[in-house]
Structures are given as C-alpha cells and as structure tokens.
Amino acid sequence: MHLVGFSMRSLLRSLAILFMAGSLVTHVSADSIHLLNVSYDPTRELYEEFNQAFAKDYLTKTGKQVTIEQSHGGSGKQARSVIDGLEGDVVTLGLAADIDALHDNGNLVAADWQTKFPHNSCPYTSTIVFLVRKGNPKGIKDWPDLIKPGIQVITPNPKTSSGGRWNFIAAWGYALKANQNDESKAKEFATALYKNVPVLDSGARGSTTTFVQRELGDVLIAWENEAYLSFKEFGADKFAIVNPSVSVLAEPPVAVVDKVVDKKGTRDAATAYLQYLYTPIGQEIIAKNFYRPIDPQVYAKYSKQFPNIELFTIDQLFGGWKAAQPKFFADGGIFDEIYQPK
Amino acid sequence: MRIEAKQLIRRFGGIIALDGVSLTVDDGELVALLGPSGSGKTTLLRLVAGLDFPDSGRILFDGADATTLPIQKRRVGFVFQHYALFRHMSVEKNVAFGLEVNRRQFKMGRHEIQDRVSELLRLVQLPGFEDRSPHQLSGGQRQRVALARALAIEPRILLLDEPFGALDAKVRKELRAWVRSLQQQLKITTIFVTHDQEEALELADRVVVMNHAHIEQVGTPAEVHDFPATPFVSEFLRGTSLQTVPASH
Amino acid sequence: METVSPIPISHPTIRDPLVVRATLLLVAVAFAVLFLLVPLLAVFFEAFQKGITGYLAALGKPASLSAIQLTLLVAAIAVPANLIFGVAASWAIAKFDFPGKTVLISLIDLPFSISPVTSGLVFVLLFGARGWFGPLLSAWNIKIIFAVPGIVLATVFVTFPFVARELIPLLTSQGSDEEQAALSLGANGWQTFWRITLPKARWGILYGVILCNARAMGEFGAVSVVSGHIRGLTNTIPLHVEVLYNDYDYVGAFAVASLLTLLALLTLLIKAFLTWRRADLVPG
C-alpha cells in the first residue's frame, strides 16, 4: 500500500515535468513570427518548398524570423475547420467558394477578398486530367470513355474536396459543350459517370492513394499537378496521363484571414507571404510543382509540361462559384440528386 | 462487557428485519443467535457491531449509549463468515492491521507489534505462519487468522457471523471446541450467529432463537431444548440432541 | 455415484477423424497468420525498407518527434485523469446505492457506443469558434479546439470507460467484507480506501490503465476532428502516420506506425501478465 502512495507521488511529479515541457514546446521564442497556412490536399510539396524560400527572403528583407506551419486536408473540410476556429493566418484553398464560406460564416474575410491580390487572388492555375494504368489497358481517351460500363472511376467527394468539385464541373462542362448546352443531357452524363465511382475519398490526396497505392480503379480524375506528382513519385512505367479534349481552368485562390491576423498581429507577414507567391521565384516554385504559373515568362519556360487543352472557366459556363456552389453542391443540390452512396 | 439491546427496529425498504428486539448479554457470556435465514440474527449482530444502525431503539455497552457510536470506536472484534482476510497482505500484516492503523492508541513500536502478532498466532495455534499469504491457507486456518486479527485490538466484544458455516464437518467440530475453550480462557463477551441448532446448543451459554424479525425464546441450551416456549422453537429444534462439550480439552 | 458404468468413457475429441482436426487447426492458423501476423510483419518490413538508419532517420524528423511528444503528453494527462475518475466512479458504484446509479453506469459506457468522429464533433460544437463557448473562449484568448487542450479533451472522452469498466465488476465481485473488517479494526474511511480497496484491486486497475493508455495513444477518429492537422504542432502519432502516408513517405509512415505496433505488443504482454497475476489472487 505504501507502493501505491509512492507511485502516485512520482506520477504527479512526472506529470508536472511533462506539463512544463509541453508549455515550453508551445511557447517557443515569442519574438519569431508564426504563420499557419491552412491549405488543401495536393499542395503539400508545393508549400514545403515555397515556405523555406519565403522564410529566407523575409529574413533578409526584414530581419524577422518567420516560421510557417502547414495544415492540409480536403479544401471544404479545411474551410470548415477555419470557421470552427482553426487559426490560419492565410488560407490557400482549392476554390473560391470555400473562401466565400469564410466570409459567409463568421465574417473571417472581407466580401471582396478576391480583389486583394492580383489575378483574382489566384497565383496559380491548374486543370483536370486523367491518370490511367500503364499502357492504358481500358483505352480511355476522353470523357465519354469514363461512362462506359465496367470502367471504375476514382474521384474525391465534391462535398468535402475542391478537386472533387473541379472534377464534377469539368465533366459537366464537357457534357454541356458536347450537347449544345443541354442541361438534362449533362445531368445524364454526370449520373452515368458517378455510377462508375466505387469510393469517394474526402480529399484529392486520398483519391490519389486509393488509385496509386491501393490500385483501385481504371482511371483517376485528378488535378494536373497531382497526376504529374504521382508520375514523378512512381515513375512512368506504372501510369500514363491522358489529357481530355475539354477541361476546366481550375483557379485555386488564396486569402489572408482578416480576423485571425488582426487578433495575432500578423497581417504584414501574412500579406508578404501571399505576395511572394506572385514573384518570379514563387512562380518558379509553383511551376516546378506542376501548377500552372500565371506569370507569362515563367509559364513560357515550363510550357512543355503543360499540354494545350481547351479550357473553359467557371465564370464562362456557370457564372462563377457563387452560382455553381449552391446549384450543384448544396444539400439537395444536383450532386445529391444524381449520386446514391453505395 | 455487558451489552443491552432495547427495542431495536430495522427496516430495509419495505422489509422489516428487526421488529422491536430487546436482549441483554452479560459480561463474559457466550451467546448464540439461532434461527433460519432471514430471521434477523445477522442484522442484530451487525447493529451491535456498528456495521449498521437501527431505525429506532438503543444499544448500551456497560450502560453507556452506543447506538450511534461509529464502528471504529466500539472496539469490537468481528469475524466474517467468509473470513474477509486482506487478500493482498501476509498473515502477519493481516493480524497487525488493527494495531498499525491505531498506532497512537496502542503506542506500539514495530517490534512490539511483531511480538504481539507472534503471540496471537500462537494463541490460534498457527505459530510461524507470519509470512504466508491468505490463499495458501486452508479454510480452518483462515478462520483462525481472522480470529487472531480480531483479537489483536483487544476487543471488548467478539462477534462471529456464521463462523463455521464455510468449513467442512470435521474441521467445524474441532474448531467449535477450540473456540469455546478460547472464549473461556479470554473471558470475552461473545455473540455468534448460526443457523445450525447443534452448534448453538453445544457452544453457547445461552441461546437466542429468532424467527421473522422477533426473538422467540432466550434460554440455556437445556431450557430451549427441553422446554421450547413456542411451536416454532419446538419445530426448529426437533431431532437435535443435547450434548455439552468439555470446558477445555 | 451409485452405479459404475461398465463401458469405458470415450474422449470424443480423440475419436474425431484426423482430417477434421487438421482442417480446423489449419483454418485457425491460416486466419491468424493472414489477419494478424502478416499485417504485423508488413509494418516492420516497410519500416525497415531503408535499413535501420532509414528507420531511425524517419523517427528522428522534427515532425515525427513532435508527434511522439504530443502523444506522450496527451496520454500522460488522459490516463491519470481517467484513472482517478474510474476509481472514484467504480468505487461509488460498487459500494454505495444512490439515486441515478444506473444512469451513471450507462453514461460511463457512452463513449464506447458513440462513433469517435461524433465525439470529436461534440467538442467542435462546444468549443469551436461558432460553438456554444466559442465566443467566450475567443474573448479570453483560450484555444481548445485545434490545439493541445482539445486533443486532450477528446482523448479523455474516448478513453473514459476503460478503467471504470474494468473496476466496477471487480469491486462488485470482491464485495465489501474486507472494507468492513478494516473498519471494525479501527481504520477510518481514508485508511480503508488506500490500504484495502486500492491494493486489492491494483491488478484490475493496472489492467484498465494499460488498455486506457493503448487507446489514448492510438485514438484516431476523435482526435482527427479536433486536431486541425497542423504539422509539428497538433498531429499525434496516428494522425502523423496518415500525413506521412499521404506524403508518399512510406518508410516514415510505417516507422512511426511501428511505434504504435510495439505499443500494442507491449500492451498485449502486460495484459497477459496481469491476467495471470490476477488469477493468482483468490479471495482471502
């Protein structure tokens, strides 16, 4: 019984030590700036490289140490976390609607956030392509091939993933163009397409691992950069990239989260961070990670890795995300109508 | 010590366990509470011990009111039916427990306690069993350790709840005779509960026959055996023979 | 036994055809190997793909170290908290009758019957920026969700039942005779609790603590919801495994996962020891 008393005491002591250690960890050097970049799934490699470049540049220019922490997940889910209190100084999400949500729920960003940075606050673009197994055994060449019976299509859940939404929009846009803007035909096409989807992962990276690692499915509808990354990681001997005839110009936007930076006093650093994405060095890193840079010179330099696909924008066909988001992806929207979970 | 129970009433929910029971046990006396299960005998014992408290009525120890006295202050030696030895302690620690938790009261050092434990173990005929663990002992040995533990605090009363109930017949007979002689040697007021008629008649100075929360009859073994006061007592004791055990052996 | 059977009693198991026995055994072993051993070996195989230096390097990365540290911290808070609660609750339940006792017993089981994801969301609902207490916490500049306190809370909630569930049946079956004996020998309530109740249940307590700890360190669902997934800050070991896996860092993912596997094996070992030790403790 003395043993119990003793171990209780020593337990308390070690707990106290742990607490102190814990608080040391969480309060490292108050004079350095900490930024949290809440981002979507496929940007992991991009920002890992970009953050280092920015921190170095910021130190030389201002003499201030800045550390950038990263959080990644499905774009919609990440937006939800920021709304629920995840204190991201900046958000770099998959599509504008997710940042609009930050304004609509809790006024975390201004309504005109998209005017704060050049090019509608989209420092890079991308598109949607297909990744297929080596040698393309199912002969997938374009969108109509995806709705053939027996084809398994891997794409993430549009409710939680921006990639999933761009995929949906790309497919819908193709169907509109192929059927003289006939909405009911587009709906038929989308219905048939999602019938061929065996699983909906919550984020683009989840879908990629499903296709690449778990080897499920015949075709992955993916971000162009995600497709090239898989290509780079696993080699050309396992996969092939197929460019569809028509696709969407995906514009992943960035924003400073006003409410957070004002509370933390990090507005200057956060703004500088996002501005750095537009510099030649930032654009170069973007291109190297297979995102399409908006700087024409950098784009020209890397143009070989970006094939010419006929790209439409969400504004042209759908009147922007403000219109498309509620129409397709709200509860009871078109996606809910056409997709029955298996 | 003299124990007086006056008009004790104890209810459990809607069931009445003791319905106005009064009893006097004289100093040094060995009294058996005899009755079928549910007759209230164990409840009465627990009230005397302070493990439970009456809804009304009084308990006097040597004339002083002890009704609400907490169990720790009563200095009773209580022996449980299933011994209730502390399973995680050695025999020595078990017997020493009462002395160790009351160090201030007993003013005993470590060595004095050790000596006292050895002495008690000799008394219950288990010398040298100090380092054994309870699960290494037989039922009869456990019962004797329980008795030594109860006696360690020099109790004013000894209370035994079905002390031989869990033992086999042969050990029970031996232990009975031994308890009787020990009680006479220590001259300690003792109450024990039993549902075994022969055990009660054989051991006790006086037998208290209980039924349905009442006392049916109080008397010497010869009185209750030969002159049952109620049909219940007559029925309950039918077929038993009266035999006395020698005072010591 | 008044009659003695003239026919010798046969042992049916020996009479079973060899084929049946062999098939059953084979099926059992095959299942164990396929579903238990192979995945276990696969974890270590992947973890050591780049040799011991690759393994250690993967574990030594700052993000991995911080995940390990956070997991230890969370367990170091959650386990003692649930130990204290579990002992108190099971003692109260086993020893006393009080109104609402059955409600308390069912409440203790609640975390087992709720999906961990829901458990996590409950805390978001309570402490999230738009939750019940969100504005208040924000005004006081207290961070719970997407920070260490939220992870601790979610873990405490999920591991809540382990100690109590282990102890309630144990204390109930042990009864209160020993406690009453201690009281009759002059011990006060406090002495009785520390010297009798706790030590006699110590193997059961340890058993509960071990299970509680394994779950606290391994919890994914609830923690994932409240973590915010900030690398190097709010990722516990299980979350970090997922992050590494999704980063295509398979050696890293499995190296970190191997820690949880080792923890599982250790837990199993201690469990086996405790089961054996407790069987030894027959009632005195």
Side-chain angles (χ1 to χ4, degrees):
Chain A
M1 68 239 99
H2 292 297
L3 194 128
V4 172
F6 172 74
S7 60
M8 210 54 203
R9 254 196 309 280
S10 65
L11 191 73
L12 287 176
R13 192 164 347 138
S14 37
L15 255 184
I17 292 167
L18 261 166
F19 266 119
M20 287 191 295
S23 52
L24 278 179
V25 171
T26 45
H27 299 119
V28 268
S29 45
D31 52 319
S32 86
I33 304 164
H34 278 257
L35 295 181
L36 174 59
N37 176 3
V38 178
S39 194
Y40 63 120
D41 245 338
T43 58
R44 298 155 188 258
E45 292 77 12
L46 164 64
Y47 281 111
E48 197 172 302
E49 192 177 345
F50 176 78
N51 288 350
Q52 287 179 13
F54 170 71
K56 218 168 101 190
D57 181 73
Y58 197 70
L59 183 65
T60 43
K61 279 192 185 134
T62 65
K64 284 179 197 157
Q65 196 86 39
V66 61
T67 313
I68 299 109
E69 274 124 20
Q70 287 293 137
S71 170
H72 294 277
S75 182
K77 203 178 103 195
Q78 292 291 79
R80 181 77 236 177
S81 290
V82 174
I83 290 165
D84 282 332
L86 179 60
E87 293 193 333
D89 300 84
V90 300
V91 285
T92 55
L93 295 178
L95 46 78
D98 288 334
I99 303 185
D100 286 336
L102 300 189
H103 171 72
D104 299 340
N105 301 282
N107 203 17
L108 293 160
V109 297
D112 62 346
W113 63 269
Q114 211 150 5
T115 64
K116 300 286 169 72
F117 292 94
H119 197 256
N120 280 333
S121 292
C122 298
Y124 39 81
T125 64
S126 189
T127 188
I128 298 301
V129 298
F130 306 153
L131 192 69
V132 296
R133 307 269 169 219
K134 193 210 171 198
N136 199 357
K138 298 278 167 106
I140 291 159
K141 295 198 179 61
D142 203 357
W143 290 103
D145 299 319
L146 302 192
I147 61 166
K148 284 180 183 162
I151 299 287
Q152 283 203 323
V153 180
I154 304 297
T155 179
N157 187 348
K159 293 267 184 174
T160 53
S161 156
S162 57
R165 268 171 280 174
W166 286 115
N167 292 354
F168 183 96
I169 290 295
W172 192 276
Y174 156 79
L176 281 183
K177 283 180 179 275
N179 295 293
Q180 291 80 44
N181 289 332
D182 186 336
E183 282 252 336
S184 62
K185 286 270 165 56
K187 200 163 166 180
E188 268 171 41
F189 181 79
T191 309
L193 176 66
Y194 280 89
K195 250 198 194 101
N196 280 349
V197 178
V199 279
L200 286 176
D201 287 288
S202 69
R205 190 50 69 88
S207 282
T208 308
T209 43
T210 296
F211 184 76
V212 168
Q213 272 296 109
R214 292 169 58 200
E215 302 194 348
L216 204 66
D218 303 306
V219 54
L220 172 75
I221 312 180
W223 290 101
E224 185 180 45
N225 57 287
E226 192 74 355
Y228 276 102
L229 185 72
S230 316
F231 216 60
K232 196 174 102 181
E233 287 281 337
F234 296 96
D237 56 333
K238 292 194 82 172
F239 306 105
I241 291 173
V242 172
N243 296 303
S245 59
V246 179
S247 192
V248 68
L249 179 73
E251 296 172 301
V254 300
V256 167
V257 184
D258 297 321
K259 223 174 184 171
V260 174
V261 293
D262 289 343
K263 186 178 159 194
K264 286 172 65 181
T266 48
R267 180 177 286 280
D268 288 349
T271 308
Y273 176 72
L274 292 184
Q275 276 165 348
Y276 196 66
L277 284 166
Y278 292 88
T279 64
I281 301 170
Q283 291 284 304
E284 189 94 18
I285 294 170
I286 283 165
K288 271 196 273 178
N289 283 281
F290 310 109
Y291 287 83
R292 298 181 173 214
I294 52 157
D295 183 317
Q297 277 170 337
V298 181
Y299 189 88
K301 187 176 161 194
Y302 286 87
S303 62
K304 256 190 282 169
Q305 71 186 38
F306 303 118
N308 269 317
I309 305 172
E310 184 197 337
L311 298 178
F312 62 84
T313 68
I314 183 110
D315 292 343
Q316 288 165 355
L317 280 194
F318 303 98
W321 276 110
K322 280 197 166 65
Q325 174 75 21
K327 177 178 174 187
F328 293 110
F329 307 116
D331 278 338
I334 288 177
F335 181 74
D336 281 343
E337 276 177 50
I338 65 155
Y339 181 75
Q340 272 85 41
K342 285 165 192 160
Chain B
M1 190 178 71
R2 178 187 164 86
I3 305 162
E4 287 164 90
K6 291 189 169 172
Q7 287 299 316
L8 292 179
I9 292 177
R10 180 72 176 117
R11 283 188 193 84
F12 296 107
I15 300 153
I16 187 144
L18 287 179
D19 193 4
V21 166
S22 299
L23 175 71
T24 301
V25 178
D26 282 325
D27 190 31
E29 205 179 8
L30 176 57
V31 166
L33 301 182
L34 174 66
S37 59
S39 59
K41 54 192 192 303
T42 296
T43 305
L44 179 56
L45 192 77
R46 291 172 65 84
L47 292 184
V48 174
L51 285 169
D52 193 11
F53 297 92
D55 296 322
S56 70
R58 296 204 304 153
I59 295 169
L60 307 180
F61 286 175
D62 276 342
D65 194 337
T67 316
T68 57
L69 200 63
I71 182 168
Q72 292 95 337
K73 301 230 168 99
R74 294 196 186 193
R75 275 185 59 203
V76 293
F78 200 100
V79 175
F80 292 80
Q81 184 177 0
H82 298 288
Y83 329 123
L85 291 185
F86 307 133
R87 66 192 82 186
H88 57 283
M89 295 182 192
S90 66
V91 166
E92 178 178 16
K93 289 277 174 199
N94 262 280
V95 177
F97 185 85
L99 301 175
E100 278 181 348
V101 294
N102 296 305
R103 274 206 179 175
R104 250 175 289 167
Q105 185 190 333
F106 288 102
K107 295 189 180 74
M108 285 173 111
R110 181 192 291 253
H111 291 287
E112 285 170 285
I113 290 177
Q114 268 176 4
D115 292 344
R116 177 91 177 108
V117 169
S118 307
E119 187 188 314
L120 282 160
L121 286 178
R122 274 199 301 278
L123 182 72
V124 299
Q125 297 172 347
L126 290 171
F129 273 61
E130 278 89 341
D131 295 331
R132 300 283 184 94
S133 184
H135 71 264
Q136 295 172 311
L137 304 179
S138 71
Q141 288 171 331
R142 288 182 202 183
Q143 189 62 292
R144 280 184 278 160
V145 173
L147 200 57
R149 182 178 69 180
L151 291 173
I153 58 167
E154 290 163 20
R156 301 187 289 174
I157 343 160
L158 193 57
L159 303 173
L160 311 166
D161 186 11
E162 298 271 7
F164 314 113
L167 300 171
D168 62 59
K170 184 171 170 285
V171 180
R172 197 185 307 177
K173 284 236 167 194
E174 283 172 16
L175 216 56
R176 262 188 219 167
W178 173 76
V179 165
R180 175 73 182 152
S181 67
L182 189 68
Q183 194 267 338
Q184 291 186 338
Q185 184 187 333
L186 299 173
K187 294 186 173 47
I188 180 171
T189 311
T190 303
I191 304 174
F192 76 100
V193 160
T194 182
H195 62 269
D196 182 331
Q197 298 86 338
E198 289 198 15
E199 191 169 285
L201 297 179
E202 190 181 309
L203 266 179
D205 296 326
R206 278 195 303 153
V207 177
V208 179
V209 184
M210 296 187 70
N211 187 35
H212 287 315
H214 287 285
I215 291 178
E216 295 271 339
Q217 187 177 4
V218 181
T220 63
E223 281 166 11
V224 295
H225 183 264
D226 297 339
F227 308 104
T230 66
F232 172 79
V233 176
S234 154
E235 179 68 21
F236 195 62
L237 292 179
R238 174 177 297 170
T240 58
S241 61
L242 189 61
Q243 45 175 233
T244 44
V245 271
S248 57
H249 70 125
Chain C
M1 294 294 251
E2 278 147 33
T3 54
V4 177
S5 162
I7 308 155
I9 297 161
S10 67
H11 294 278
T13 46
I14 295 172
R15 281 273 189 92
D16 272 344
L18 190 68
V19 190
V20 174
R21 273 197 295 157
T23 313
L24 285 176
L25 197 68
L26 205 73
V27 168
V29 169
F31 262 75
V33 167
L34 200 65
F35 290 107
L36 301 173
L37 202 63
V38 167
L40 210 69
L41 290 176
V43 169
F44 288 99
F45 180 77
E46 287 284 343
F48 285 98
Q49 281 242 306
K50 291 181 187 162
I52 183 90
T53 45
Y55 179 79
L56 291 177
L59 289 184
K61 282 184 185 158
S64 301
L65 286 179
S66 102
I68 294 167
Q69 199 178 12
L70 177 61
T71 301
L72 291 176
L73 176 73
V74 168
I77 300 169
V79 173
N82 278 330
L83 170 66
I84 292 166
F85 163 78
V87 169
S90 45
W91 198 44
I93 286 167
K95 306 288 175 193
F96 309 117
D97 276 314
F98 52 89
K101 184 164 154 171
T102 44
V103 177
L104 181 62
I105 295 173
S106 336
L107 270 181
I108 288 173
D109 273 350
L110 195 68
F112 274 170
S113 43
I114 292 186
S115 154
V117 176
T118 314
S119 317
L121 283 175
V122 168
F123 287 102
V124 174
L125 192 70
L126 286 178
F127 303 117
R130 296 167 65 80
W132 290 5
F133 303 110
L136 201 67
L137 293 169
S138 171
W140 290 343
N141 212 2
I142 299 171
K143 274 201 272 184
I144 292 187
I145 295 300
F146 308 121
V148 176
I151 296 171
V152 170
L153 276 176
T155 308
V156 168
F157 180 81
V158 170
T159 57
F160 197 59
F162 283 95
V163 176
R165 282 270 293 227
E166 198 54 48
L167 276 185
I168 292 167
L170 181 70
L171 291 184
T172 311
S173 75
Q174 284 182 338
S176 51
D177 274 8
E178 289 175 54
E179 279 79 1
Q180 294 188 353
L183 293 175
S184 79
L185 291 168
N188 59 34
W190 194 241
Q191 285 171 320
T192 305
F193 178 73
W194 282 103
R195 292 179 174 223
I196 306 299
T197 307
L198 264 193
K200 87 175 178 183
R202 64 191 171 206
W203 300 114
I205 293 173
L206 234 120
Y207 194 89
V209 162
I210 290 297
L211 292 185
C212 180
N213 182 60
R215 180 67 187 270
M217 291 189 168
E219 174 58 22
F220 180 86
V223 170
S224 174
V225 175
V226 298
S227 145
H229 304 274
I230 307 170
R231 298 178 167 213
L233 278 186
T234 63
N235 279 331
T236 58
I237 293 179
L239 300 186
H240 191 56
V241 170
E242 196 203 23
V243 165
L244 291 174
Y245 184 79
N246 281 341
D247 284 357
Y248 304 115
D249 180 358
Y250 299 119
V251 169
F254 284 100
V256 178
S258 75
L259 296 179
L260 288 178
T261 313
L262 286 175
L263 172 74
L265 291 175
L266 190 72
T267 303
L268 222 71
L269 245 143
I270 301 176
K271 252 182 76 175
F273 169 75
L274 289 177
T275 314
W276 165 74
R277 193 68 189 76
R278 208 165 43 165
D280 197 35
L281 270 182
V282 293

